Amino acid sequence: MGTIITVTSGKGGVGKSTTTANLAVGLANLGQKVVAIDFDIGLRNLDMILGLENRIVYDVVDVMEERCNLSQALINDKKAKNLYFLPASQTKDKDVLERDKVEKLLLSLKEEFDIVLLDSPAGIESGFEHSIFLADRALIVSTPDVSSVRDADRVIGIIDAKSEKAKQGLEVQKHVIINRLKPDMVESGNMLSVEDVLSILALPLIGVVPDDEEIIGSTNVGEPIINKEKSLSAEAYRRISKRVLGEDVEFLDLTPKKGLFASIKGIFR
Amino acid sequence: MSFFDKLFGKKKSSASVAKDRLTIMLAHERVNCKLPYLDDLRNDLIEVIKKYTEVSDVKITTHNNQNIDMLEVEILLGKK
């Protein structure tokens, strides 16, 4: 029996889909059989981040409405052989999902896969509820800024209320991913630190991803950055993937490295 | 892309790859937006055809030729 992990945030644009894509590849690379599902109905995006947009024939709604088999809709990543992808539907009606159909689909995926990774839509409407109600675990992505942390806190409060697991008296395991941290800004006191965010959200941390311009490039070409050897953000994603599987991995050292130029610049600040 | 990149045939920049991917994707998606009934039409067609024979899928593609808008319907019958 697999685990359903929902990647969520509350606020949009904090990097949910990028996180989902990278962790999906990361977990698959670690030998897990992974299916990543885009639950953002009407605003499909995970397909382009994974670089699989040209291979879509059917989508998640087609499967639920039984217009096709599950195996027809699942797209197997060519590089990460253990990774399968189920795209969101592009219909305009975002409330098209029905609870019992979502349940049926997720339970059958749980039978077949080790990890079912759900990319939840932003907001706290029905799409979010569908992505959370069967979750075993939730990864809450937040950037270190006021709006994002506030919305993350709001979402954390709602997860248990909407969860099937919580209804049975069990707990949805919740972890925070802090995304787009800028170490120099934290050091100069202009950005919330990891400790600040954690003390506000009062949840355990599973990873910190530094702000990285290269991620834009990797999204441009549709190749998740996690496969890049020498990238710090890729390393962050690789470590998070391991932690998701329960491994105890050291956190990345994100203290700003000061070269000569930066030190001189620092004097004049 | 700078002049020198072009001169030395440097690898396509990621931004231009992104532009190409988006252009292709959006061209495809806008067609569907222009004809919002396309999905319903497809489902109805499947229902009708089912009355007579097995059908595995119906593909509808749109073409715009000068002044004519055209729908091309491809009916995939199930394997015998």
Side-chain angles (χ1 to χ4, degrees), chain A residues 3-8 128 131-140 155-175 203-204:
Chain A
T3 312
I4 299 180
I5 306 175
T6 302
V7 180
T8 187
F128 163 74
S131 70
I132 206 73
F133 91 106
L134 281 179
D136 298 300
R137 304 178 60 172
L139 301 177
I140 296 107
V155 157
I156 292 163
I158 300 172
I159 289 176
D160 282 325
K162 299 292 178 194
S163 152
E164 200 61 29
K165 227 180 163 186
K167 261 183 215 148
Q168 294 162 11
L170 301 164
E171 203 192 343
V172 182
Q173 220 184 335
K174 298 186 260 320
H175 285 100
L203 280 182

PDB file of all heavy atoms in Angstrom, chain A residues 3-8 128 131-140 155-175 203-204:
ATOM      1  N   THR A   3       1.737   5.541  -0.213  1.00  0.00           N
ATOM      2  CA  THR A   3       1.448   6.710   0.608  1.00  0.00           C
ATOM      3  C   THR A   3       0.992   7.860  -0.284  1.00  0.00           C
ATOM      4  O   THR A   3       1.598   8.112  -1.324  1.00  0.00           O
ATOM      5  CB  THR A   3       2.732   7.169   1.327  1.00  0.00           C
ATOM      6  OG1 THR A   3       3.346   6.032   1.930  1.00  0.00           O
ATOM      7  CG2 THR A   3       2.427   8.197   2.396  1.00  0.00           C
ATOM      8  N   ILE A   4      -0.068   8.540   0.130  1.00  0.00           N
ATOM      9  CA  ILE A   4      -0.498   9.727  -0.612  1.00  0.00           C
ATOM     10  C   ILE A   4       0.103  10.960   0.044  1.00  0.00           C
ATOM     11  O   ILE A   4      -0.120  11.221   1.226  1.00  0.00           O
ATOM     12  CB  ILE A   4      -2.032   9.843  -0.650  1.00  0.00           C
ATOM     13  CG1 ILE A   4      -2.632   8.621  -1.343  1.00  0.00           C
ATOM     14  CG2 ILE A   4      -2.451  11.131  -1.366  1.00  0.00           C
ATOM     15  CD1 ILE A   4      -4.151   8.644  -1.426  1.00  0.00           C
ATOM     16  N   ILE A   5       0.901  11.688  -0.727  1.00  0.00           N
ATOM     17  CA  ILE A   5       1.528  12.897  -0.213  1.00  0.00           C
ATOM     18  C   ILE A   5       1.019  14.093  -1.012  1.00  0.00           C
ATOM     19  O   ILE A   5       1.154  14.124  -2.234  1.00  0.00           O
ATOM     20  CB  ILE A   5       3.063  12.825  -0.324  1.00  0.00           C
ATOM     21  CG1 ILE A   5       3.593  11.559   0.348  1.00  0.00           C
ATOM     22  CG2 ILE A   5       3.702  14.066   0.277  1.00  0.00           C
ATOM     23  CD1 ILE A   5       5.088  11.359   0.185  1.00  0.00           C
ATOM     24  N   THR A   6       0.436  15.058  -0.328  1.00  0.00           N
ATOM     25  CA  THR A   6      -0.074  16.247  -1.011  1.00  0.00           C
ATOM     26  C   THR A   6       0.882  17.411  -0.820  1.00  0.00           C
ATOM     27  O   THR A   6       1.300  17.700   0.307  1.00  0.00           O
ATOM     28  CB  THR A   6      -1.458  16.621  -0.450  1.00  0.00           C
ATOM     29  OG1 THR A   6      -2.324  15.504  -0.627  1.00  0.00           O
ATOM     30  CG2 THR A   6      -2.036  17.819  -1.178  1.00  0.00           C
ATOM     31  N   VAL A   7       1.246  18.053  -1.931  1.00  0.00           N
ATOM     32  CA  VAL A   7       2.079  19.251  -1.870  1.00  0.00           C
ATOM     33  C   VAL A   7       1.138  20.451  -1.971  1.00  0.00           C
ATOM     34  O   VAL A   7       0.396  20.586  -2.939  1.00  0.00           O
ATOM     35  CB  VAL A   7       3.103  19.278  -3.018  1.00  0.00           C
ATOM     36  CG1 VAL A   7       3.960  20.532  -2.932  1.00  0.00           C
ATOM     37  CG2 VAL A   7       3.966  18.033  -2.987  1.00  0.00           C
ATOM     38  N   THR A   8       1.147  21.284  -0.946  1.00  0.00           N
ATOM     39  CA  THR A   8       0.171  22.370  -0.911  1.00  0.00           C
ATOM     40  C   THR A   8       0.799  23.641  -0.364  1.00  0.00           C
ATOM     41  O   THR A   8       1.956  23.643   0.061  1.00  0.00           O
ATOM     42  CB  THR A   8      -1.071  21.938  -0.088  1.00  0.00           C
ATOM     43  OG1 THR A   8      -2.067  22.933  -0.197  1.00  0.00           O
ATOM     44  CG2 THR A   8      -0.717  21.728   1.375  1.00  0.00           C
ATOM     45  N   PHE A 128      -8.567  22.090  -3.652  1.00  0.00           N
ATOM     46  CA  PHE A 128      -7.678  21.845  -2.523  1.00  0.00           C
ATOM     47  C   PHE A 128      -8.239  20.725  -1.636  1.00  0.00           C
ATOM     48  O   PHE A 128      -7.536  19.803  -1.236  1.00  0.00           O
ATOM     49  CB  PHE A 128      -7.497  23.126  -1.709  1.00  0.00           C
ATOM     50  CG  PHE A 128      -6.940  22.899  -0.336  1.00  0.00           C
ATOM     51  CD1 PHE A 128      -5.607  22.584  -0.176  1.00  0.00           C
ATOM     52  CD2 PHE A 128      -7.761  22.984   0.772  1.00  0.00           C
ATOM     53  CE1 PHE A 128      -5.088  22.354   1.099  1.00  0.00           C
ATOM     54  CE2 PHE A 128      -7.253  22.754   2.044  1.00  0.00           C
ATOM     55  CZ  PHE A 128      -5.917  22.446   2.204  1.00  0.00           C
ATOM     56  N   SER A 131      -7.691  17.378  -3.005  1.00  0.00           N
ATOM     57  CA  SER A 131      -6.307  16.915  -2.989  1.00  0.00           C
ATOM     58  C   SER A 131      -5.861  16.551  -1.572  1.00  0.00           C
ATOM     59  O   SER A 131      -4.877  15.851  -1.402  1.00  0.00           O
ATOM     60  CB  SER A 131      -5.378  17.968  -3.592  1.00  0.00           C
ATOM     61  OG  SER A 131      -5.288  19.069  -2.722  1.00  0.00           O
ATOM     62  N   ILE A 132      -6.590  17.013  -0.570  1.00  0.00           N
ATOM     63  CA  ILE A 132      -6.116  16.780   0.800  1.00  0.00           C
ATOM     64  C   ILE A 132      -6.905  15.673   1.520  1.00  0.00           C
ATOM     65  O   ILE A 132      -6.407  15.050   2.447  1.00  0.00           O
ATOM     66  CB  ILE A 132      -6.135  18.105   1.620  1.00  0.00           C
ATOM     67  CG1 ILE A 132      -5.117  18.061   2.746  1.00  0.00           C
ATOM     68  CG2 ILE A 132      -7.510  18.436   2.183  1.00  0.00           C
ATOM     69  CD1 ILE A 132      -3.708  18.186   2.324  1.00  0.00           C
ATOM     70  N   PHE A 133      -8.127  15.367   1.083  1.00  0.00           N
ATOM     71  CA  PHE A 133      -8.982  14.567   1.965  1.00  0.00           C
ATOM     72  C   PHE A 133      -8.533  13.123   2.145  1.00  0.00           C
ATOM     73  O   PHE A 133      -8.870  12.480   3.123  1.00  0.00           O
ATOM     74  CB  PHE A 133     -10.469  14.701   1.603  1.00  0.00           C
ATOM     75  CG  PHE A 133     -10.995  13.703   0.622  1.00  0.00           C
ATOM     76  CD1 PHE A 133     -11.821  12.672   1.038  1.00  0.00           C
ATOM     77  CD2 PHE A 133     -10.686  13.812  -0.714  1.00  0.00           C
ATOM     78  CE1 PHE A 133     -12.330  11.758   0.137  1.00  0.00           C
ATOM     79  CE2 PHE A 133     -11.180  12.908  -1.620  1.00  0.00           C
ATOM     80  CZ  PHE A 133     -11.998  11.877  -1.197  1.00  0.00           C
ATOM     81  N   LEU A 134      -7.721  12.602   1.213  1.00  0.00           N
ATOM     82  CA  LEU A 134      -7.208  11.251   1.407  1.00  0.00           C
ATOM     83  C   LEU A 134      -5.709  11.216   1.711  1.00  0.00           C
ATOM     84  O   LEU A 134      -5.101  10.153   1.730  1.00  0.00           O
ATOM     85  CB  LEU A 134      -7.490  10.407   0.167  1.00  0.00           C
ATOM     86  CG  LEU A 134      -8.919   9.877   0.046  1.00  0.00           C
ATOM     87  CD1 LEU A 134      -9.062   9.077  -1.228  1.00  0.00           C
ATOM     88  CD2 LEU A 134      -9.290   9.023   1.249  1.00  0.00           C
ATOM     89  N   ALA A 135      -5.131  12.395   1.923  1.00  0.00           N
ATOM     90  CA  ALA A 135      -3.680  12.463   2.091  1.00  0.00           C
ATOM     91  C   ALA A 135      -3.219  11.784   3.373  1.00  0.00           C
ATOM     92  O   ALA A 135      -3.855  11.889   4.416  1.00  0.00           O
ATOM     93  CB  ALA A 135      -3.228  13.920   2.088  1.00  0.00           C
ATOM     94  N   ASP A 136      -2.100  11.047   3.258  1.00  0.00           N
ATOM     95  CA  ASP A 136      -1.454  10.495   4.447  1.00  0.00           C
ATOM     96  C   ASP A 136      -0.478  11.515   5.010  1.00  0.00           C
ATOM     97  O   ASP A 136      -0.243  11.570   6.203  1.00  0.00           O
ATOM     98  CB  ASP A 136      -0.686   9.220   4.088  1.00  0.00           C
ATOM     99  CG  ASP A 136      -1.612   8.143   3.557  1.00  0.00           C
ATOM    100  OD1 ASP A 136      -2.522   7.739   4.298  1.00  0.00           O
ATOM    101  OD2 ASP A 136      -1.439   7.727   2.393  1.00  0.00           O
ATOM    102  N   ARG A 137       0.083  12.285   4.085  1.00  0.00           N
ATOM    103  CA  ARG A 137       1.052  13.292   4.495  1.00  0.00           C
ATOM    104  C   ARG A 137       0.829  14.559   3.689  1.00  0.00           C
ATOM    105  O   ARG A 137       0.310  14.509   2.581  1.00  0.00           O
ATOM    106  CB  ARG A 137       2.487  12.808   4.214  1.00  0.00           C
ATOM    107  CG  ARG A 137       2.829  11.501   4.855  1.00  0.00           C
ATOM    108  CD  ARG A 137       4.228  11.080   4.498  1.00  0.00           C
ATOM    109  NE  ARG A 137       5.222  12.075   4.937  1.00  0.00           N
ATOM    110  CZ  ARG A 137       6.521  11.859   4.865  1.00  0.00           C
ATOM    111  NH1 ARG A 137       6.998  10.752   4.359  1.00  0.00           N
ATOM    112  NH2 ARG A 137       7.371  12.784   5.283  1.00  0.00           N
ATOM    113  N   ALA A 138       1.261  15.677   4.260  1.00  0.00           N
ATOM    114  CA  ALA A 138       1.184  16.936   3.533  1.00  0.00           C
ATOM    115  C   ALA A 138       2.527  17.640   3.614  1.00  0.00           C
ATOM    116  O   ALA A 138       3.161  17.669   4.676  1.00  0.00           O
ATOM    117  CB  ALA A 138       0.096  17.826   4.119  1.00  0.00           C
ATOM    118  N   LEU A 139       2.988  18.157   2.488  1.00  0.00           N
ATOM    119  CA  LEU A 139       4.178  18.987   2.460  1.00  0.00           C
ATOM    120  C   LEU A 139       3.715  20.405   2.160  1.00  0.00           C
ATOM    121  O   LEU A 139       3.137  20.658   1.112  1.00  0.00           O
ATOM    122  CB  LEU A 139       5.156  18.510   1.381  1.00  0.00           C
ATOM    123  CG  LEU A 139       5.656  17.064   1.505  1.00  0.00           C
ATOM    124  CD1 LEU A 139       6.557  16.719   0.325  1.00  0.00           C
ATOM    125  CD2 LEU A 139       6.418  16.879   2.820  1.00  0.00           C
ATOM    126  N   ILE A 140       3.906  21.296   3.112  1.00  0.00           N
ATOM    127  CA  ILE A 140       3.438  22.666   2.931  1.00  0.00           C
ATOM    128  C   ILE A 140       4.608  23.528   2.477  1.00  0.00           C
ATOM    129  O   ILE A 140       5.604  23.665   3.187  1.00  0.00           O
ATOM    130  CB  ILE A 140       2.825  23.221   4.235  1.00  0.00           C
ATOM    131  CG1 ILE A 140       1.583  22.405   4.599  1.00  0.00           C
ATOM    132  CG2 ILE A 140       2.431  24.679   4.081  1.00  0.00           C
ATOM    133  CD1 ILE A 140       1.754  21.485   5.745  1.00  0.00           C
ATOM    134  N   VAL A 155      -3.760  27.238   5.745  1.00  0.00           N
ATOM    135  CA  VAL A 155      -3.941  25.922   5.138  1.00  0.00           C
ATOM    136  C   VAL A 155      -3.687  24.802   6.149  1.00  0.00           C
ATOM    137  O   VAL A 155      -4.424  23.828   6.221  1.00  0.00           O
ATOM    138  CB  VAL A 155      -2.999  25.779   3.913  1.00  0.00           C
ATOM    139  CG1 VAL A 155      -2.722  24.331   3.606  1.00  0.00           C
ATOM    140  CG2 VAL A 155      -3.623  26.450   2.716  1.00  0.00           C
ATOM    141  N   ILE A 156      -2.637  24.975   6.954  1.00  0.00           N
ATOM    142  CA  ILE A 156      -2.303  23.966   7.956  1.00  0.00           C
ATOM    143  C   ILE A 156      -3.499  23.755   8.884  1.00  0.00           C
ATOM    144  O   ILE A 156      -3.840  22.626   9.251  1.00  0.00           O
ATOM    145  CB  ILE A 156      -1.051  24.390   8.758  1.00  0.00           C
ATOM    146  CG1 ILE A 156       0.173  24.354   7.845  1.00  0.00           C
ATOM    147  CG2 ILE A 156      -0.831  23.483   9.970  1.00  0.00           C
ATOM    148  CD1 ILE A 156       1.366  25.123   8.374  1.00  0.00           C
ATOM    149  N   GLY A 157      -4.157  24.859   9.231  1.00  0.00           N
ATOM    150  CA  GLY A 157      -5.320  24.759  10.102  1.00  0.00           C
ATOM    151  C   GLY A 157      -6.482  24.009   9.470  1.00  0.00           C
ATOM    152  O   GLY A 157      -7.278  23.390  10.172  1.00  0.00           O
ATOM    153  N   ILE A 158      -6.572  24.081   8.142  1.00  0.00           N
ATOM    154  CA  ILE A 158      -7.696  23.455   7.456  1.00  0.00           C
ATOM    155  C   ILE A 158      -7.463  21.975   7.156  1.00  0.00           C
ATOM    156  O   ILE A 158      -8.394  21.193   7.075  1.00  0.00           O
ATOM    157  CB  ILE A 158      -7.998  24.210   6.132  1.00  0.00           C
ATOM    158  CG1 ILE A 158      -8.353  25.666   6.462  1.00  0.00           C
ATOM    159  CG2 ILE A 158      -9.166  23.591   5.393  1.00  0.00           C
ATOM    160  CD1 ILE A 158      -8.472  26.531   5.245  1.00  0.00           C
ATOM    161  N   ILE A 159      -6.188  21.589   7.000  1.00  0.00           N
ATOM    162  CA  ILE A 159      -5.877  20.219   6.573  1.00  0.00           C
ATOM    163  C   ILE A 159      -6.606  19.177   7.408  1.00  0.00           C
ATOM    164  O   ILE A 159      -7.302  18.307   6.876  1.00  0.00           O
ATOM    165  CB  ILE A 159      -4.344  19.965   6.606  1.00  0.00           C
ATOM    166  CG1 ILE A 159      -3.686  20.746   5.466  1.00  0.00           C
ATOM    167  CG2 ILE A 159      -4.041  18.482   6.468  1.00  0.00           C
ATOM    168  CD1 ILE A 159      -2.182  20.663   5.451  1.00  0.00           C
ATOM    169  N   ASP A 160      -6.480  19.278   8.724  1.00  0.00           N
ATOM    170  CA  ASP A 160      -7.083  18.259   9.573  1.00  0.00           C
ATOM    171  C   ASP A 160      -8.609  18.262   9.478  1.00  0.00           C
ATOM    172  O   ASP A 160      -9.247  17.217   9.525  1.00  0.00           O
ATOM    173  CB  ASP A 160      -6.633  18.418  11.019  1.00  0.00           C
ATOM    174  CG  ASP A 160      -5.226  17.862  11.208  1.00  0.00           C
ATOM    175  OD1 ASP A 160      -4.911  16.861  10.541  1.00  0.00           O
ATOM    176  OD2 ASP A 160      -4.464  18.440  11.990  1.00  0.00           O
ATOM    177  N   ALA A 161      -9.172  19.446   9.304  1.00  0.00           N
ATOM    178  CA  ALA A 161     -10.629  19.545   9.220  1.00  0.00           C
ATOM    179  C   ALA A 161     -11.164  18.862   7.967  1.00  0.00           C
ATOM    180  O   ALA A 161     -12.289  18.363   7.949  1.00  0.00           O
ATOM    181  CB  ALA A 161     -11.043  21.007   9.234  1.00  0.00           C
ATOM    182  N   LYS A 162     -10.344  18.836   6.910  1.00  0.00           N
ATOM    183  CA  LYS A 162     -10.809  18.280   5.639  1.00  0.00           C
ATOM    184  C   LYS A 162     -10.343  16.847   5.432  1.00  0.00           C
ATOM    185  O   LYS A 162     -10.669  16.230   4.422  1.00  0.00           O
ATOM    186  CB  LYS A 162     -10.280  19.133   4.475  1.00  0.00           C
ATOM    187  CG  LYS A 162     -10.745  20.564   4.492  1.00  0.00           C
ATOM    188  CD  LYS A 162     -12.236  20.655   4.219  1.00  0.00           C
ATOM    189  CE  LYS A 162     -12.707  22.089   4.288  1.00  0.00           C
ATOM    190  NZ  LYS A 162     -14.165  22.178   4.369  1.00  0.00           N
ATOM    191  N   SER A 163      -9.541  16.347   6.351  1.00  0.00           N
ATOM    192  CA  SER A 163      -8.901  15.062   6.105  1.00  0.00           C
ATOM    193  C   SER A 163      -9.720  13.878   6.612  1.00  0.00           C
ATOM    194  O   SER A 163     -10.289  13.899   7.698  1.00  0.00           O
ATOM    195  CB  SER A 163      -7.527  15.063   6.765  1.00  0.00           C
ATOM    196  OG  SER A 163      -7.156  13.759   7.110  1.00  0.00           O
ATOM    197  N   GLU A 164      -9.739  12.853   5.782  1.00  0.00           N
ATOM    198  CA  GLU A 164     -10.416  11.608   6.131  1.00  0.00           C
ATOM    199  C   GLU A 164      -9.664  10.918   7.278  1.00  0.00           C
ATOM    200  O   GLU A 164     -10.260  10.354   8.179  1.00  0.00           O
ATOM    201  CB  GLU A 164     -10.421  10.727   4.873  1.00  0.00           C
ATOM    202  CG  GLU A 164     -11.442   9.626   4.830  1.00  0.00           C
ATOM    203  CD  GLU A 164     -12.880  10.121   4.893  1.00  0.00           C
ATOM    204  OE1 GLU A 164     -13.155  11.242   4.435  1.00  0.00           O
ATOM    205  OE2 GLU A 164     -13.714   9.360   5.416  1.00  0.00           O
ATOM    206  N   LYS A 165      -8.349  11.010   7.197  1.00  0.00           N
ATOM    207  CA  LYS A 165      -7.507  10.386   8.200  1.00  0.00           C
ATOM    208  C   LYS A 165      -7.768  10.981   9.583  1.00  0.00           C
ATOM    209  O   LYS A 165      -7.845  10.260  10.585  1.00  0.00           O
ATOM    210  CB  LYS A 165      -6.037  10.603   7.816  1.00  0.00           C
ATOM    211  CG  LYS A 165      -5.245   9.333   7.909  1.00  0.00           C
ATOM    212  CD  LYS A 165      -3.812   9.528   7.547  1.00  0.00           C
ATOM    213  CE  LYS A 165      -3.045   8.339   8.082  1.00  0.00           C
ATOM    214  NZ  LYS A 165      -1.620   8.466   7.917  1.00  0.00           N
ATOM    215  N   ALA A 166      -7.885  12.312   9.618  1.00  0.00           N
ATOM    216  CA  ALA A 166      -8.123  12.978  10.894  1.00  0.00           C
ATOM    217  C   ALA A 166      -9.480  12.574  11.468  1.00  0.00           C
ATOM    218  O   ALA A 166      -9.654  12.477  12.682  1.00  0.00           O
ATOM    219  CB  ALA A 166      -8.047  14.489  10.710  1.00  0.00           C
ATOM    220  N   LYS A 167     -10.440  12.326  10.579  1.00  0.00           N
ATOM    221  CA  LYS A 167     -11.763  11.896  11.035  1.00  0.00           C
ATOM    222  C   LYS A 167     -11.697  10.554  11.750  1.00  0.00           C
ATOM    223  O   LYS A 167     -12.473  10.269  12.645  1.00  0.00           O
ATOM    224  CB  LYS A 167     -12.711  11.772   9.834  1.00  0.00           C
ATOM    225  CG  LYS A 167     -13.607  12.994   9.685  1.00  0.00           C
ATOM    226  CD  LYS A 167     -14.572  12.803   8.532  1.00  0.00           C
ATOM    227  CE  LYS A 167     -14.806  14.136   7.851  1.00  0.00           C
ATOM    228  NZ  LYS A 167     -15.059  13.982   6.422  1.00  0.00           N
ATOM    229  N   GLN A 168     -10.750   9.727  11.304  1.00  0.00           N
ATOM    230  CA  GLN A 168     -10.591   8.414  11.943  1.00  0.00           C
ATOM    231  C   GLN A 168      -9.710   8.497  13.179  1.00  0.00           C
ATOM    232  O   GLN A 168      -9.296   7.472  13.723  1.00  0.00           O
ATOM    233  CB  GLN A 168      -9.962   7.427  10.942  1.00  0.00           C
ATOM    234  CG  GLN A 168     -10.848   7.120   9.756  1.00  0.00           C
ATOM    235  CD  GLN A 168     -10.066   6.533   8.604  1.00  0.00           C
ATOM    236  OE1 GLN A 168      -8.896   6.157   8.738  1.00  0.00           O
ATOM    237  NE2 GLN A 168     -10.700   6.429   7.438  1.00  0.00           N
ATOM    238  N   GLY A 169      -9.384   9.705  13.588  1.00  0.00           N
ATOM    239  CA  GLY A 169      -8.583   9.887  14.796  1.00  0.00           C
ATOM    240  C   GLY A 169      -7.095   9.780  14.561  1.00  0.00           C
ATOM    241  O   GLY A 169      -6.296   9.834  15.487  1.00  0.00           O
ATOM    242  N   LEU A 170      -6.688   9.623  13.279  1.00  0.00           N
ATOM    243  CA  LEU A 170      -5.262   9.570  12.965  1.00  0.00           C
ATOM    244  C   LEU A 170      -4.795  10.970  12.557  1.00  0.00           C
ATOM    245  O   LEU A 170      -5.615  11.859  12.361  1.00  0.00           O
ATOM    246  CB  LEU A 170      -5.014   8.589  11.826  1.00  0.00           C
ATOM    247  CG  LEU A 170      -5.449   7.148  12.075  1.00  0.00           C
ATOM    248  CD1 LEU A 170      -5.533   6.375  10.790  1.00  0.00           C
ATOM    249  CD2 LEU A 170      -4.500   6.476  13.057  1.00  0.00           C
ATOM    250  N   GLU A 171      -3.498  11.090  12.403  1.00  0.00           N
ATOM    251  CA  GLU A 171      -2.998  12.416  12.058  1.00  0.00           C
ATOM    252  C   GLU A 171      -2.373  12.434  10.679  1.00  0.00           C
ATOM    253  O   GLU A 171      -1.688  11.496  10.285  1.00  0.00           O
ATOM    254  CB  GLU A 171      -1.975  12.854  13.101  1.00  0.00           C
ATOM    255  CG  GLU A 171      -1.822  14.359  13.164  1.00  0.00           C
ATOM    256  CD  GLU A 171      -0.614  14.760  13.991  1.00  0.00           C
ATOM    257  OE1 GLU A 171      -0.094  13.925  14.752  1.00  0.00           O
ATOM    258  OE2 GLU A 171      -0.172  15.909  13.837  1.00  0.00           O
ATOM    259  N   VAL A 172      -2.628  13.500   9.935  1.00  0.00           N
ATOM    260  CA  VAL A 172      -1.923  13.701   8.675  1.00  0.00           C
ATOM    261  C   VAL A 172      -0.552  14.262   9.045  1.00  0.00           C
ATOM    262  O   VAL A 172      -0.458  15.287   9.701  1.00  0.00           O
ATOM    263  CB  VAL A 172      -2.658  14.722   7.784  1.00  0.00           C
ATOM    264  CG1 VAL A 172      -1.943  14.877   6.448  1.00  0.00           C
ATOM    265  CG2 VAL A 172      -4.099  14.313   7.567  1.00  0.00           C
ATOM    266  N   GLN A 173       0.483  13.543   8.609  1.00  0.00           N
ATOM    267  CA  GLN A 173       1.839  13.995   8.917  1.00  0.00           C
ATOM    268  C   GLN A 173       2.137  15.261   8.115  1.00  0.00           C
ATOM    269  O   GLN A 173       1.977  15.263   6.894  1.00  0.00           O
ATOM    270  CB  GLN A 173       2.800  12.894   8.496  1.00  0.00           C
ATOM    271  CG  GLN A 173       3.929  12.665   9.456  1.00  0.00           C
ATOM    272  CD  GLN A 173       4.883  11.630   8.899  1.00  0.00           C
ATOM    273  OE1 GLN A 173       4.504  10.784   8.091  1.00  0.00           O
ATOM    274  NE2 GLN A 173       6.121  11.707   9.328  1.00  0.00           N
ATOM    275  N   LYS A 174       2.542  16.325   8.794  1.00  0.00           N
ATOM    276  CA  LYS A 174       2.739  17.588   8.080  1.00  0.00           C
ATOM    277  C   LYS A 174       4.176  18.094   8.220  1.00  0.00           C
ATOM    278  O   LYS A 174       4.734  18.058   9.305  1.00  0.00           O
ATOM    279  CB  LYS A 174       1.773  18.660   8.620  1.00  0.00           C
ATOM    280  CG  LYS A 174       0.306  18.307   8.417  1.00  0.00           C
ATOM    281  CD  LYS A 174      -0.607  19.428   8.831  1.00  0.00           C
ATOM    282  CE  LYS A 174      -1.244  19.318  10.174  1.00  0.00           C
ATOM    283  NZ  LYS A 174      -1.749  18.106  10.697  1.00  0.00           N
ATOM    284  N   HIS A 175       4.730  18.521   7.094  1.00  0.00           N
ATOM    285  CA  HIS A 175       6.084  19.073   7.101  1.00  0.00           C
ATOM    286  C   HIS A 175       6.132  20.350   6.287  1.00  0.00           C
ATOM    287  O   HIS A 175       5.366  20.510   5.343  1.00  0.00           O
ATOM    288  CB  HIS A 175       7.081  18.075   6.498  1.00  0.00           C
ATOM    289  CG  HIS A 175       7.414  16.940   7.409  1.00  0.00           C
ATOM    290  ND1 HIS A 175       6.839  15.700   7.273  1.00  0.00           N
ATOM    291  CD2 HIS A 175       8.248  16.863   8.467  1.00  0.00           C
ATOM    292  CE1 HIS A 175       7.321  14.896   8.220  1.00  0.00           C
ATOM    293  NE2 HIS A 175       8.179  15.577   8.954  1.00  0.00           N
ATOM    294  N   LEU A 203       5.642  23.664  12.863  1.00  0.00           N
ATOM    295  CA  LEU A 203       5.651  22.339  12.245  1.00  0.00           C
ATOM    296  C   LEU A 203       7.102  21.953  11.964  1.00  0.00           C
ATOM    297  O   LEU A 203       7.948  22.820  11.815  1.00  0.00           O
ATOM    298  CB  LEU A 203       4.892  22.360  10.915  1.00  0.00           C
ATOM    299  CG  LEU A 203       3.371  22.284  10.913  1.00  0.00           C
ATOM    300  CD1 LEU A 203       2.873  22.266   9.483  1.00  0.00           C
ATOM    301  CD2 LEU A 203       2.865  21.070  11.664  1.00  0.00           C
ATOM    302  N   PRO A 204       7.377  20.638  11.879  1.00  0.00           N
ATOM    303  CA  PRO A 204       8.757  20.243  11.573  1.00  0.00           C
ATOM    304  C   PRO A 204       9.143  20.587  10.132  1.00  0.00           C
ATOM    305  O   PRO A 204       8.307  20.584   9.231  1.00  0.00           O
ATOM    306  CB  PRO A 204       8.734  18.725  11.780  1.00  0.00           C
ATOM    307  CG  PRO A 204       7.316  18.326  11.696  1.00  0.00           C
ATOM    308  CD  PRO A 204       6.515  19.485  12.162  1.00  0.00           C
TER     309      PRO A 204
END
